[in-house]
Amino acid sequence: MSYTLENMKKDIRKQYNLIANEFSKNHNIGENSNDKNRLHFYSFIHLPIKGQKLLDLACADGLDANHYSNQGANVTGIDASEELITITKQEYPTIDFTVGLAEQLPYKNESFDIVTSKYAIMTSSDMKPIFTEINRVLKPGGIFIYLATHP
């Protein structure tokens, strides 16, 4: 299979749609917990985020987006998985969640003060379009904070 943008859309959505409920229920339990990584990641966001427009890229089940919202940020979350977005909208109805891809963000130029992403951009075979889109939606002087396990 050639990895066109259309194929990547289908692959990542299919992949996470199939595991959405299990992922949401189990990724923060026991030895598979993401809590240590999450707390470490949050420590890098040491600027005040209250009132800031923040995009949580590949927001999964919305747990991080909710954390940022509780800190006072105006949060938008986006994820490729329709199933995960359905879960997030039910769990956190006051946060704006959208289905979409990092390679084609559906937001206006210079929309966000902060973009965050954990373990997501590394799933792309071509990160250049992702970084281009993040740069486009960040306001001048905006901050992008991400976590990846490998390039």
Side-chain angles (χ1 to χ4, degrees), residues 37-52:
N37 291 344
R38 179 173 286 110
L39 293 174
H40 186 67
F41 184 74
Y42 293 164
S43 75
F44 286 98
I45 308 171
H46 46 77
L47 60 148
I49 65 173
K50 186 174 184 176
Q52 300 290 304

Side-chain angles (χ1 to χ4, degrees), residues 12 16 23 55-65 76-81 84-85 88 97-98 100-102 105 107 115-123:
I12 199 77
Y16 280 94
F23 176 86
L55 174 63
D56 190 16
L57 189 65
C59 63
D61 63 357
L63 197 60
D64 294 321
T76 299
I78 188 167
D79 198 276
S81 169
L84 282 168
I85 291 298
T88 63
F97 292 107
T98 302
L101 294 171
L105 294 172
Y107 308 110
V115 175
T116 63
S117 183
K118 284 184 25 226
Y119 301 122
I121 60 171
M122 65 190 191
T123 63

Side-chain angles (χ1 to χ4, degrees), residues 49-104:
I49 65 173
K50 186 174 184 176
Q52 300 290 304
K53 290 189 72 178
L54 185 147
L55 174 63
D56 190 16
L57 189 65
C59 63
D61 63 357
L63 197 60
D64 294 321
N66 186 57
H67 170 78
Y68 306 134
S69 180
N70 288 338
Q71 300 300 308
N74 179 2
V75 179
T76 299
I78 188 167
D79 198 276
S81 169
E82 295 92 348
E83 295 297 323
L84 282 168
I85 291 298
T86 297
I87 291 168
T88 63
K89 286 181 176 184
Q90 291 170 353
E91 188 69 26
Y92 310 109
T94 62
I95 299 174
D96 177 30
F97 292 107
T98 302
V99 175
L101 294 171
E103 294 88 352
Q104 294 177 329

